Amino acid sequence: MKKILISLLLLSIGSFVAFAQNENGKTDEEKIYELVEEQVEKMTENLGLDPAQEFYVDSIMLHDYSELQAELNAMSKSKVSNPDLYVQVQDKWMEKMYQEFEKLFTPEQWDKFLKSGALREKKARDKRAAKAGK
């Protein structure tokens, strides 16, 4: 009897946590839009993007983050349990954005972008890729 009560308590706590995470009722798509909007605003402010660049950055990020989310969801539904595979998928999409931004930004903007942490992230991705390739 005690085990049943404990199990019910744990299930109700788990349900509450899951409800609290989706309390605001936002879908993955809405969360992606908010994330992209925040990042585009920061990049526009920090890098001095013109309206055309802002549009392209927004489009690139919306597409790539949506594709990343779809790929991660598919892996999750397939019950992939190796965390390294999830990191590889994330790295793939982050590298794609990195390469697209390099084509889009002016040399001055690119330098600022790299100094803002992108270079550190790139090195970490390259290091993980080299490690996975061994």
Side-chain angles (χ1 to χ4, degrees), residues 94-105:
M94 294 301 113
E95 181 65 24
K96 190 171 189 304
M97 276 191 269
Y98 178 90
Q99 292 172 358
E100 291 167 346
F101 291 158
E102 185 175 14
K103 296 174 192 172
L104 179 64
F105 296 158

Side-chain angles (χ1 to χ4, degrees), residues 8-26:
L8 288 174
L9 179 64
L10 290 174
L11 283 173
S12 63
I13 290 171
S15 299
F16 175 75
V17 170
F19 175 75
Q21 289 175 345
N22 292 324
E23 182 179 297
N24 54 14
K26 293 182 182 174

Side-chain angles (χ1 to χ4, degrees), residues 56-67:
Y56 283 117
V57 167
D58 183 71
S59 298
I60 290 166
M61 293 178 96
L62 281 175
H63 174 267
D64 290 356
Y65 278 129
S66 296
E67 292 297 316

Side-chain angles (χ1 to χ4, degrees), residues 82-99:
N82 184 346
D84 292 336
L85 295 176
Y86 288 92
V87 172
Q88 286 176 358
V89 168
Q90 183 177 357
D91 284 349
K92 175 181 89 172
W93 288 103
M94 294 301 113
E95 181 65 24
K96 190 171 189 304
M97 276 191 269
Y98 178 90
Q99 292 172 358

